[in-house]
Amino acid sequence: STPKPSSAASDVYKRQASNVWKICGSKTNSEDAQDTEEILGYMLVYVDDVMVVGPTGLIEKVFEIYTSIWDVQVSGILVADGAMTKYVVPDLKFLGCTLRRTEKMYTVDQISYIEERLLERGFDKVAGKKTLPDPQEGRTCPIDRNTSEYPQDLLNSQGEIGVLNWIALRTRPDISCIVSICASLMTINPMDTLHLIRGCLLYTSDAADEGL
């Protein structure tokens, strides 16, 4: 169950959507002296990983509550309001992504993950490409599924598409279309699909430091 702040604090947690909670407080209206709900921040919960968004003081309060109940690791705070805190860090890792704070915005990327995957495939020193491959939809010829190579080619395609899809869904929507096309083509011709995947990896290699 999600812990609530002590009775001395007005903040409460309220489910906003799947895995997302509002952190709310009460605010007294000066005209009619009625208490109204005020959203102070948000909390994203994924299994045992938690991200809190809000003013630095609110985030510190949530840290205090959680550390008083469980043995948790506090990764830090990306400070945007100029507040001084012992938790300040230049970047944070969350669900395989890296979050950073620049002077004007927040960014999220998977640079480390992409570089690791490229290194595993020997693409770390290969010249990248500026454009995505042309899938030539409608012109991919089906191949014989009874060949000895087909099962392994299909398995390889599935693995590579899984890697690219993980990247596309989180920080690289620019490759989402070609990844979807590869997924639809892999059972028809996994060998041609692997060629498209290679082209997508070369494109990703050329812009490995891109993000949102």
Side-chain angles (χ1 to χ4, degrees):
S1 63
T2 304
K4 294 184 178 181
S6 64
S7 57
S10 60
D11 310 322
V12 295
Y13 299 113
K14 295 186 177 181
R15 185 180 293 276
Q16 175 75 6
S18 177
N19 300 328
V20 179
W21 295 75
K22 294 187 298 184
I23 304 176
C24 302
S26 60
K27 181 179 181 181
T28 302
N29 190 315
S30 58
E31 295 181 359
D32 55 15
Q34 295 293 317
D35 289 342
T36 58
E37 181 179 281
E38 180 182 19
I39 298 176
L40 305 177
Y42 291 90
M43 182 167 63
L44 171 64
V45 181
Y46 185 84
V47 190
D48 59 353
D49 291 319
V50 178
M51 179 193 294
V52 183
V53 180
T56 301
L58 175 70
I59 297 173
E60 289 181 315
K61 183 186 293 185
V62 173
F63 285 174
E64 292 172 2
I65 294 169
Y66 271 67
T67 55
S68 69
I69 300 172
W70 298 299
D71 180 15
V72 300
Q73 178 181 351
V74 176
S75 298
I77 300 177
L78 295 178
V79 176
D81 54 12
M84 300 297 293
T85 173
K86 64 181 180 180
Y87 297 113
V88 64
V89 292
D91 57 63
L92 288 171
K93 296 287 192 301
F94 186 72
L95 302 184
C97 298
T98 301
L99 293 86
R100 312 174 199 273
R101 170 69 187 180
T102 67
E103 292 183 1
K104 297 182 178 180
M105 67 185 75
Y106 290 98
T107 65
V108 56
D109 63 65
Q110 290 172 281
I111 296 174
S112 298
Y113 178 80
I114 292 173
E115 289 178 343
E116 289 173 4
R117 302 293 80 78
L118 292 172
L119 178 62
E120 290 173 356
R121 290 153 179 78
F123 280 57
D124 55 314
K125 297 180 180 179
V126 177
K129 290 188 175 182
K130 299 292 185 183
T131 59
L132 286 163
D134 183 358
Q136 299 292 309
E137 280 191 278
R139 284 178 271 178
T140 300
C141 297
I143 64 170
D144 185 359
R145 301 188 182 191
N146 296 316
T147 63
S148 58
E149 296 85 2
Y150 180 86
Q152 188 59 52
D153 288 343
L154 179 60
L155 185 64
N156 292 341
S157 295
Q158 291 171 332
E160 298 294 79
I161 289 170
V163 169
L164 290 172
N165 196 46
W166 175 264
I167 297 170
L169 287 173
R170 281 154 180 77
T171 61
R172 295 296 299 273
D174 53 326
I175 66 171
S176 60
C177 181
I178 185 65
V179 173
S180 295
I181 292 172
C182 287
S184 66
L185 292 177
M186 65 179 175
T187 57
I188 298 172
N189 193 322
M191 181 56 71
D192 282 0
T193 302
L194 286 170
H195 287 304
L196 290 173
I197 290 170
R198 176 181 172 82
C200 190
L201 286 169
L202 288 172
Y203 170 82
T204 306
S205 174
D206 185 73
D209 58 350
E210 294 292 336
L212 299 174

